[in-house]
Amino acid sequence: MKIISGVYKITNTITGDFYIGSSNNVKRRWAAHKWPSVWNRCPNKQLYKDMKKYGLDKFSFEILAEVE
């Protein structure tokens, strides 16, 4: 699997709210965002509150820019 560094966007498909992030491995970072254990360590982050409320299937993930 190719490791992609860059900027990504996670969108709540119900509300239209989105989160922009960056990582040196965006696919691994997306996987980490989906772990419920992360949600519990960061209970005040709106992204995680919404993931709990709406479910992961209501979120889309896209890579906005790749960086070398």
Side-chain angles (χ1 to χ4, degrees), residues 3-9 20-27 29 61-68:
I3 296 175
I4 300 171
S5 297
V7 179
Y8 61 90
K9 179 180 180 182
I20 303 287
S22 64
S23 176
N24 60 2
N25 187 334
V26 294
K27 291 179 182 180
R29 185 66 183 123
F61 175 81
E62 64 184 298
I63 297 172
L64 300 177
E66 291 185 31
V67 179
E68 290 192 30

Side-chain angles (χ1 to χ4, degrees), residues 28-62:
R28 182 178 58 190
R29 185 66 183 123
W30 170 229
H33 277 301
K34 296 187 288 184
W35 294 338
S37 62
V38 171
W39 304 346
N40 295 327
R41 285 184 292 184
C42 305
N44 295 325
K45 287 196 173 187
Q46 191 61 46
L47 174 65
Y48 300 139
K49 287 181 180 180
D50 287 351
M51 285 179 166
K52 285 182 188 179
K53 181 177 179 177
Y54 297 106
L56 287 174
D57 61 326
K58 302 297 189 251
F59 288 81
S60 65
F61 175 81
E62 64 184 298

